[in-house]
Amino acid sequence: MSSTAPQSPSSPSSPSSPSGSALALAVDLGGTKVEAAFVTDQGVVVPGTRHRSPTGPQRTSDELQAAVDEVVTATLATLPTDAVLVGVGVGSAGPVDEERGLVSPLNMPVWRGYPLRDRIAALVPDGVPVTLRMDGLAITLAEHWVGAAQGSDHVMGMIVSTGVGGGLILHGRTVSGPTGNAGHIGHVECGGFDDPCACGGTGCLEAVASGPKTVAWAQRQGFAGTTGEELSAAYAAGDEIAVAAVRRSGRALGQAIAAATSLVDLEVVAIGGGFSHVSPDLFTYAREAVAERVEFGFVTKVRIVPTGLSQDGPLIGAGALVHRADVLR
């Protein structure tokens, strides 16, 4: 939940891997950190191959690229000698330009139309394909593959962290739209909220319910803390402002999920990301907001569940862009 990404511990130079295994190099670019690791075709992050480096709005373009170069290069150096690198999957904060491999992360304003796919392709061996998608779509693939949404074919995955991202699988296939930005649930406007959003909208889910925005709202009400962890502790202790802040964010979350379910008839919404752990009650408040749609059983049927993948979800999702390419559309 904090806005500062911890540095990864040192990794062994020769991680173990199943003999002759096909591995994907997974890269996850978010608002606080970029991570890379190898992921097996069973959806497992290979121990000893995970590296991370801070990102964020204060970084220059060169610093952001250096962070990406650092984690990709460090992970490539841990490729087991008996493994085959079959592809690179990149999940990036959006918006993205899927066809041209460009990224314009809202929380990294120095990158607008940045050629991230080609920059990463230059770091890996010739001929290794690189697939870039929005991070929300990647996490949805992960939940559908080995996470909390297994067995369902109408799924939204969500990340509630520095920002709020999402992605869609409908009829068992990903939906990315003509530019790659379908499922951008963080920028659906929620009724009753007037919080300004960096995208230019008002009352967007990200502006209300992301970790930093929830903490900022609480501070305006008199909360003395500065981090999501502090807000979580205050909530657990019964602090009235913290309770109001988490309830407010949970309600916005539920409103957005109800709207999305009304639109595309979802079965499951699986939610991960650091701020999703602020309290289990965040999910309760979201479910209560959905339950208000009393005349729409196709909306109230949707299950809102925590991620089944803990902190590995974004990397497993990036790996799924390679290993589960058959469900990409």
Side-chain angles (χ1 to χ4, degrees):
M1 287 180 289
S2 68
S3 60
T4 302
Q7 296 299 309
S8 60
S10 58
S11 301
S13 59
S14 300
S16 60
S17 118
S19 179
S21 60
L23 298 181
L25 172 60
V27 182
D28 173 57
L29 174 69
T32 58
K33 68 183 184 304
V34 57
E35 287 192 287
F38 289 119
V39 174
T40 73
D41 59 6
Q42 300 300 306
V44 176
V45 175
V46 178
T49 71
R50 186 172 188 163
H51 298 268
R52 67 176 60 175
S53 186
T55 58
Q58 75 283 4
R59 300 268 165 170
T60 67
S61 179
D62 287 346
E63 288 172 337
L64 289 173
Q65 185 58 55
V68 172
D69 293 351
E70 175 189 336
V71 299
V72 169
T73 301
T75 295
L76 284 171
T78 68
L79 181 67
T81 57
D82 58 352
V84 178
L85 178 60
V86 295
V88 181
V90 183
S92 173
V96 302
D97 182 329
E98 184 178 296
E99 182 177 354
R100 295 191 293 167
L102 310 179
V103 303
S104 303
L106 188 62
N107 295 314
M108 287 173 258
V110 295
W111 274 7
R112 291 294 177 264
Y114 190 80
L116 181 62
R117 183 184 63 195
D118 290 349
R119 292 299 300 264
I120 290 177
L123 300 173
V124 301
D126 290 343
V128 175
V130 180
T131 302
L132 181 142
R133 294 290 189 275
M134 197 165 62
D135 56 357
L137 185 66
I139 193 68
T140 306
L141 266 175
E143 297 293 345
H144 183 256
W145 182 21
V146 293
Q150 292 178 78
S152 297
D153 282 339
H154 297 81
V155 176
M156 182 165 65
M158 294 183 65
I159 302 166
V160 181
S161 187
T162 306
V164 178
L168 293 168
I169 288 178
L170 302 178
H171 300 285
R173 302 289 297 275
T174 63
V175 177
S176 57
T179 64
N181 293 289
H184 223 125
I185 189 70
H187 297 279
V188 169
E189 294 187 3
C190 304
F193 299 97
D194 59 3
D195 307 56
C197 184
C199 77
T202 301
C204 292
L205 178 61
E206 180 170 300
V208 178
S210 69
K213 296 301 184 181
T214 303
V215 171
W217 183 87
Q219 289 174 327
R220 293 195 295 273
Q221 315 312 309
F223 177 62
T226 60
T227 68
E229 288 88 351
E230 291 171 326
L231 187 71
S232 177
Y235 184 93
D239 179 87
E240 290 184 2
I241 294 175
V243 170
V246 173
R247 181 185 294 117
R248 181 177 190 267
S249 293
R251 178 166 184 79
L253 195 60
Q255 287 182 351
I257 290 170
T261 304
S262 295
L263 187 65
V264 295
D265 201 3
L266 297 166
E267 297 173 288
V268 180
V269 177
I271 304 176
F275 193 69
S276 71
H277 304 293
V278 66
S279 168
D281 290 347
L282 183 74
F283 288 78
T284 301
Y285 297 135
R287 293 175 186 128
E288 289 174 351
V290 172
E292 293 175 5
R293 306 293 182 99
V294 292
E295 296 296 331
F296 277 179
F298 78 94
V299 173
T300 58
K301 77 174 185 323
V302 69
R303 293 188 295 116
I304 304 173
V305 298
T307 177
L309 302 173
S310 187
Q311 301 302 312
D312 288 342
L315 285 171
I316 293 172
L321 296 172
V322 176
H323 292 308
R324 298 283 288 165
D326 57 309
V327 305
L328 294 182
R329 177 176 289 173

